């Protein structure tokens, strides 16, 4: 069975710092140095300083695309694995910047994860 890939706790902290606040199924809570992943019920939204939303990779990538015109794309190479590119657009048409991964990844999800982190750190 194929399952959704959720972002890590560290990425969730970074996303919160950059303003991510979209409805999610889960959130992380940090209590005394321990990280707990909770399911959000009844539409309640975590708001405490030690709580961080936990979206899927695809939701966070969509948020980057729709809110900041940042496209993270993963490509498969025939024999060498996967790479990502980050494209930052101005006015939806003009490509302002582009960055490519410095090495190849074994999985699509690993490449997307690092592409999202790179976009959050350097383009927002």
């Amino acid at each position: 069975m194929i399952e959704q890939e959720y972002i890590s706790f560290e990425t969730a902290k970074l996303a919160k710092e950059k303003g991510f606040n979209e409805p999610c199924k889960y959130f992380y809570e940090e209590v005394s140095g321990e990280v707990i992943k909770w399911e959000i019920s009844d539409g309640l939204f975590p708001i405490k300083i030690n709580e961080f939303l936990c979206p899927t990779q695809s939701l966070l990538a969509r948020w980057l695309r729709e809110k900041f015109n940042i496209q993270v794309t993963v490509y498969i190479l025939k024999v060498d694995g996967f790479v990502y590119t980050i494209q930052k657009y101005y006015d939806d048409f003009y490509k302002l910047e582009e960055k490519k991964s410095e090495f190849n990844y074994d999985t699509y999800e690993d490449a997307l994860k690092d592409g999202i982190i790179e976009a959050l750190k350097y383009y927002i």
Side-chain angles (χ1 to χ4, degrees):
M1 180 174 154
I2 298 175
E3 295 184 18
Q4 291 286 339
E5 188 74 25
Y6 289 90
I7 65 169
S8 69
F9 173 67
E10 292 76 20
T11 306
K13 287 173 63 174
L14 182 58
K16 181 177 183 177
E17 176 186 312
K18 301 299 183 171
F20 181 81
N21 195 27
E22 299 294 327
C24 296
K25 185 175 181 178
Y26 298 102
F27 72 97
Y28 293 111
E29 182 179 22
E30 186 174 27
V31 180
S32 301
E34 183 180 349
V35 176
I36 305 166
K37 185 176 175 182
W38 299 97
E39 186 168 355
I40 298 173
S41 60
D42 299 328
L44 297 175
F45 229 40
I47 56 170
K48 297 178 185 174
I49 196 162
N50 65 330
E51 295 176 339
F52 307 88
L53 291 168
C54 177
T56 61
Q57 285 182 332
S58 60
L59 177 60
L60 191 53
R62 182 176 178 183
W63 178 76
L64 287 168
R65 201 171 46 250
E66 292 181 1
K67 185 161 177 78
F68 299 102
N69 290 330
I70 297 171
Q71 174 68 40
V72 179
T73 306
V74 176
Y75 296 98
I76 187 168
L77 303 174
K78 285 186 178 185
V79 293
D80 294 330
F82 299 85
V83 295
Y84 69 78
T85 62
I86 302 168
Q87 296 171 322
K88 169 78 173 154
Y89 289 90
Y90 176 75
D91 288 339
D92 296 328
F93 297 105
Y94 176 74
K95 190 186 323 179
L96 184 64
E97 295 181 53
E98 180 173 282
K99 180 173 177 64
K100 296 180 180 182
S101 57
E102 296 178 6
F103 57 91
N104 301 345
Y105 295 85
D106 291 334
T107 68
Y108 176 97
E109 291 75 19
D110 286 343
L112 183 57
K113 173 188 68 132
D114 281 1
I116 288 170
I117 291 169
E118 187 83 7
L120 287 167
K121 284 183 178 178
Y122 300 105
Y123 291 95
I124 299 177

